[in-house]
Amino acid sequence: IHVSQPLFIMLAVSHLRLYSARKLVVLWVLLGLVVFSVLAMKQHYVWDVVTGALLALLVSQLVFYAGPLRDIPVTRLMGVPS
């Protein structure tokens, strides 16, 4: 959960193009710090990070490419009137 949720959010933000490239770099660095902290606290193992990342990737593929948001234009998802 500690890795899958922030990674899914980052994948969604990247997919929807909500921020500039510079802000995305900052957010990806913050995600890296989350992953580091998960491992540094010694409460989780590398396997937990890997499975959390796989879960986030699977869910993002289902939501954005095979699920209900597949055929909706990105601008509509962001609330921009057509």
Side-chain angles (χ1 to χ4, degrees):
I1 293 175
H2 302 300
V3 173
S4 62
Q5 288 179 344
L7 179 57
F8 176 73
I9 291 169
M10 283 305 307
L11 292 170
V13 165
S14 297
H15 177 78
L16 296 174
R17 299 178 195 98
L18 296 177
Y19 294 110
S20 67
R22 179 175 285 179
K23 288 180 183 177
L24 282 177
V25 168
V26 171
L27 292 174
W28 280 106
V29 168
L30 290 174
L31 175 64
L33 291 173
V34 168
V35 170
F36 173 75
S37 69
V38 164
L39 295 172
M41 293 294 153
K42 301 196 185 240
Q43 297 292 316
H44 296 280
Y45 301 100
V46 174
W47 181 248
D48 298 327
V49 171
V50 171
T51 55
L54 289 174
L55 177 64
L57 291 170
L58 174 68
V59 170
S60 69
Q61 292 297 311
L62 290 173
V63 168
F64 292 111
Y65 299 107
L69 302 179
R70 173 187 63 219
D71 298 325
I72 300 174
V74 170
T75 53
R76 185 164 169 225
L77 289 173
M78 296 178 358
V80 176
S82 53

